[in-house]
Amino acid sequence: SNAKIGGIPTATLAELHWDICAALKFGNHAHLKPSLLRRISNAKIVGISFCRARVECTKCFKALTSKLSPKNTHRATPHQRNPMSRTEKAPKKSILACPSGCSHFHAAVKWECSAIIDDGTGQAKLYAEREAALLLLGGTLDVALVENGAWELEGGVFFQPAMPASSHLMQCIKDATMKARRFASDRKRNKNKQDQQHQQDMPSTFSLLPADAKAEYLLHQHCRHWYQQHHSRKMDLFCRCKPLSEDVTSVNQSEIPVAKASIAQVGLDFGTAPTSTLPPLKLVLEDGVVSSEENLDDNMTGWKLLENI
């Protein structure tokens, strides 16, 4: 099955599902080869199912907590700055501190993201973190603004499709809208020429939001509208398979709703039928590039343009 491109074996999601079948049949989960890097070609990201940007300590790997939290019993001590940290230092007014007492120089925003991918042969759940998560999210997100807001929230900035925007964000939008309306009303009352010349400086509702609300709003908007903006985007993903849990020894037994035609009378009989499903295929993203198929299309288009000159 697995051809190699640049030394990395390629696989389809269907082939990886067959690997799960073999692992269950022979009782050997090592059949999935979780340490092996594989290339999934021409994969589409169907949608973002989870995303979080949260500040953590790169020394003790604990999530930062509020300075007022009972968990935070240590005082930060000076240490040498971590050169691998994405964040040079905490914002001046950050409410967060490391629960182990590590310096803010060791703190950085950790990105995590989960998505459903489809390569035309099957689907899988893809997990990514740090730089790989940003690659998955795409380059249109204002990362710096979201990270700035993450420093204001103990749990970080969080998105999940089933969860609505927080009550804090809704209240901030309401307050900012009222401020913007008052500002516009004051401008109309003031007839000075100087004010008329600076009419374009009127602040937007978004600009009046606090940093944490801006971050939550941007992340929710980006993730909820991700598919509409990137539905045609295909990527070659370099992934590793997550090993199956040790207690998974067989397929999952379940039932599905069915409708049967009734011979004796006109109509349908509704009921259920037993079926089996495989344990979910879970992958960890290491890196990704623009789909090789899209590169080929671009190259062919380029040659055709040259031939017509």
Side-chain angles (χ1 to χ4, degrees), residues 172-239:
C172 287
I173 292 175
K174 184 178 178 180
D175 294 343
T177 302
M178 294 298 294
K179 287 180 182 178
R181 287 176 179 171
R182 283 198 301 267
F183 192 91
S185 179
D186 291 343
R187 278 289 179 88
K188 287 180 180 179
R189 288 197 212 98
N190 197 326
K191 302 298 183 180
N192 292 337
K193 293 182 179 180
Q194 186 177 358
D195 287 337
Q196 291 176 358
Q197 291 173 356
H198 293 82
Q199 194 74 16
Q200 67 273 18
D201 297 332
M202 184 180 297
S204 64
T205 301
F206 178 78
S207 68
L208 296 172
L209 293 174
D212 54 352
K214 284 181 181 177
E216 183 182 350
Y217 177 83
L218 276 185
L219 190 63
H220 273 248
Q221 285 292 100
H222 183 82
C223 293
R224 289 192 186 280
H225 299 290
W226 195 97
Y227 184 75
Q228 289 89 332
Q229 298 173 358
H230 301 88
H231 66 276
S232 60
R233 179 190 184 199
K234 288 186 178 181
M235 297 184 69
D236 289 357
L237 304 174
F238 299 93
C239 312

Side-chain angles (χ1 to χ4, degrees), residues 40 69-71 75 80 89 114 130 136 170 183 199 207 211 218 232-233 261 270 272 285 296:
I40 310 297
S69 172
K71 300 177 184 177
R75 294 188 63 184
Q80 185 178 359
K89 60 182 179 179
S114 293
R130 306 186 192 281
L136 193 63
M170 300 307 294
F183 192 91
Q199 194 74 16
S207 68
L218 276 185
S232 60
R233 179 190 184 199
F270 294 92
T272 59
L285 179 66
L296 178 61

Side-chain angles (χ1 to χ4, degrees), residues 25-199:
K25 179 179 179 181
F26 299 109
N28 183 7
H29 290 185
H31 192 82
L32 279 172
K33 303 181 181 68
S35 62
L36 178 64
L37 187 66
R38 295 177 171 93
R39 181 178 188 143
I40 310 297
S41 299
N42 304 319
K44 272 190 177 183
I45 292 94
V46 178
I48 306 296
S49 54
F50 166 81
C51 186
R52 179 172 62 190
R54 184 174 63 175
V55 185
E56 73 166 21
C57 178
T58 58
K59 185 179 181 183
C60 66
F61 301 104
K62 292 182 179 179
L64 268 64
T65 58
S66 170
K67 294 173 183 177
L68 303 176
S69 172
K71 300 177 184 177
N72 204 329
T73 57
H74 295 81
R75 294 188 63 184
T77 55
H79 292 286
Q80 185 178 359
R81 182 173 65 83
N82 178 11
M84 298 302 290
S85 173
R86 281 174 51 87
T87 306
E88 290 289 326
K89 60 182 179 179
K92 293 179 181 178
K93 297 181 180 179
S94 175
I95 64 168
L96 304 180
C98 177
S100 299
C102 303
S103 168
H104 267 125
F105 286 126
H106 292 281
V109 176
K110 179 183 178 181
W111 286 85
E112 299 171 275
C113 186
S114 293
I116 304 299
I117 63 169
D118 190 322
D119 70 343
T121 69
Q123 291 190 346
K125 187 171 185 178
L126 182 68
Y127 173 78
E129 63 178 31
R130 306 186 192 281
E131 299 297 335
L134 294 176
L135 175 68
L136 193 63
L137 288 169
T140 58
L141 177 65
D142 190 337
V143 174
L145 197 151
V146 176
E147 290 189 348
N148 189 43
W151 279 99
E152 302 299 321
L153 297 166
E154 185 174 31
V157 188
F158 179 85
F159 166 78
Q160 206 164 5
M163 296 182 65
S166 68
S167 57
H168 170 67
L169 174 59
M170 300 307 294
Q171 185 61 47
C172 287
I173 292 175
K174 184 178 178 180
D175 294 343
T177 302
M178 294 298 294
K179 287 180 182 178
R181 287 176 179 171
R182 283 198 301 267
F183 192 91
S185 179
D186 291 343
R187 278 289 179 88
K188 287 180 180 179
R189 288 197 212 98
N190 197 326
K191 302 298 183 180
N192 292 337
K193 293 182 179 180
Q194 186 177 358
D195 287 337
Q196 291 176 358
Q197 291 173 356
H198 293 82
Q199 194 74 16

Side-chain angles (χ1 to χ4, degrees), residues 237-280:
L237 304 174
F238 299 93
C239 312
R240 302 183 197 275
C241 287
K242 275 191 173 183
L244 296 175
S245 174
E246 293 182 359
D247 56 355
V248 176
T249 57
S250 63
V251 294
N252 301 321
Q253 303 297 327
S254 60
E255 292 185 339
I256 57 173
V258 295
K260 299 179 182 178
S262 177
I263 300 176
Q265 57 185 6
V266 178
L268 295 173
D269 291 332
F270 294 92
T272 59
T275 186
S276 300
T277 59
L278 285 174

